[in-house]
Amino acid sequence: MGDIAAANVLALNSPVNGVYNLGRGIEVTDLEVFEAVRTAVGSDMAPQFAPVRPGEVEHIALDAAKAKRELGWTWKVDFADG
């Protein structure tokens, strides 16, 4: 079972409810996501870059501490495999 599916099963069977970040706490760039998808689908498409928009978040890594604490969830699938 994948990480997100496992988190949902844990949440469905939990007496608590809430909103949870489900992530590794490790930043992944847009370019890394693009390259992973491009490789997975066998494309040679080049990325297209646009200027950063005002207010746009440039760096983020989700903290899943609440999901671990309340649901017992931790990630198991690394980015490349996921």
Side-chain angles (χ1 to χ4, degrees):
M1 177 180 319
D3 285 344
I4 303 306
N8 279 279
V9 169
L10 288 168
L12 285 170
N13 293 308
S14 174
V16 297
N17 61 42
V19 176
Y20 301 92
N21 286 326
L22 302 176
R24 302 177 307 146
I26 301 168
E27 183 178 326
V28 177
T29 67
D30 293 344
L31 186 56
E32 288 174 296
V33 174
F34 175 86
E35 290 173 349
V37 172
R38 178 176 60 185
T39 299
V41 300
S43 174
D44 61 356
M45 176 185 279
Q48 296 180 13
F49 298 95
V52 175
R53 296 174 291 196
E56 188 170 4
V57 175
E58 294 189 50
H59 302 277
I60 190 168
L62 296 178
D63 178 4
K66 180 180 174 185
K68 182 175 184 175
R69 182 177 62 251
E70 294 185 5
L71 303 176
W73 181 86
T74 57
W75 66 274
K76 293 176 180 51
V77 179
D78 70 16
F79 175 74
D81 292 334

